[in-house]
Amino acid sequence: MTLIHLFFIFFYIGLFAVGGGLVAATFMQQALVEQYHLLTAEKFYSMLAISESTPGPIGINLATYIGTELYGPVGGLVTTFGEVLPSLIVIIIIARFFSKFQEKPLTKSVFSFLRPATTGMVMVALIQVFSLSIIHTQAFESNYDFIKQLTSSPRPTLDILLDWKAIALYELCLVILYRTKLHPVFIVAISAVFGVAFL
C-alpha cells in the first residue's frame, strides 16, 4: 500500500468518524485489520491500548502510531494529517455557518440520529477490545494448533479459551475505580506493571 492510499484511508476515517476516537478506532480496525490485513487483531488492539493510555486524543494517537509502525516517521505524519484534515475543514465550515442553522428542524433531526449511531459504534469498539482482552488471542487468528488443542483437550474449554488473569485484573480495576478516588492514570500504570509481571 502506498502512502497516498494510506492518507486517503485515514482521510476517510477522519471524515466519517463522528463521535470521537473509539469510533475512529472501529473504522481503523475494519480497514487495516479486516480489509487490507496490514495489522493483526492482536497488534491493532495492543496499539489501541497504548494510544488510549498516552496523553492526547486517542484517534490521533492511534493514527500516528499506526503510520509510524507501518512506514516510519513519514508514515506517522501522513496518517496523522489524513486523520486531522477532515476535522479542520468541517470545523471551519461549522464555525462559519452552524449558528445560523442549529435551531432548524432538519439540523436537530440529523443530530438526533447521529447520537444513537455514534453510541452503537463506540459499543462495537468496546466489545471488540474487551473480547480480545479476556480471550486468548490465538482464537482470533484462526490458529490451527490452538483450535486443535481447544477441541481435543481434556481440560474444560473455558480454561483454554479465557485469560483468567486478565479477567481478574479487569474486575480488580472496576472495584478500585468504583470504591476509591484513585485517579485512572494510576490504574493504567498498575495495569501496565501487572501485564509485564504476570501476563
Side-chain angles (χ1 to χ4, degrees):
M1 178 179 293
T2 65
L3 284 173
I4 294 175
H5 190 181
L6 196 65
F7 168 82
F8 281 110
I9 288 175
F10 278 86
F11 185 89
Y12 161 81
I13 291 169
L15 185 61
F16 291 101
V18 179
L22 283 178
V23 176
T26 301
F27 284 154
M28 292 180 203
Q29 188 269 339
Q30 290 174 344
L32 303 174
V33 177
E34 296 180 4
Q35 185 175 357
Y36 294 106
H37 307 289
L38 294 176
L39 299 167
T40 64
E42 180 183 7
K43 179 74 171 178
F44 176 81
Y45 286 112
S46 295
M47 296 169 83
L48 177 61
I50 293 171
S51 300
E52 194 167 10
S53 303
T54 50
I58 178 175
I60 298 174
N61 288 352
L62 185 56
T64 305
Y65 191 176
I66 290 172
T68 304
E69 180 73 17
L70 294 176
Y71 292 97
V74 175
L77 290 173
V78 168
T79 54
T80 303
F81 186 61
E83 174 79 13
V84 171
L85 184 59
S87 300
L88 291 176
I89 296 171
V90 170
I91 203 65
I92 289 170
I93 295 172
I94 288 176
R96 179 69 179 84
F97 297 107
F98 185 66
S99 60
K100 297 179 181 179
F101 298 101
Q102 60 182 336
E103 297 302 324
K104 300 286 185 181
L106 179 61
T107 305
K108 292 182 178 180
S109 298
V110 168
F111 280 100
S112 69
F113 279 93
L114 280 176
R115 292 187 193 104
T118 299
T119 303
M121 295 176 74
V122 171
M123 285 299 297
V124 168
L126 173 64
I127 292 169
Q128 289 174 337
V129 172
F130 181 76
S131 300
L132 196 64
S133 298
I134 67 168
I135 298 175
H136 286 297
T137 54
Q138 297 97 320
F140 286 84
E141 297 175 357
S142 301
N143 186 303
Y144 175 77
D145 292 333
F146 178 80
I147 294 172
K148 185 177 179 181
Q149 178 189 11
L150 188 65
T151 55
S152 63
S153 174
R155 292 190 298 153
T157 301
L158 285 178
D159 286 348
I160 304 172
L161 187 61
L162 298 179
D163 188 338
W164 294 106
K165 292 179 182 177
I167 294 173
L169 177 62
Y170 171 77
E171 293 177 351
L172 177 62
C173 289
L174 277 182
V175 171
I176 293 173
L177 282 171
Y178 280 100
R179 295 295 180 90
T180 71
K181 295 181 179 181
L182 190 64
H183 195 280
V185 72
F186 294 108
I187 301 294
V188 171
I190 292 169
S191 299
V193 172
F194 184 91
V196 171
F198 300 106
L199 294 182

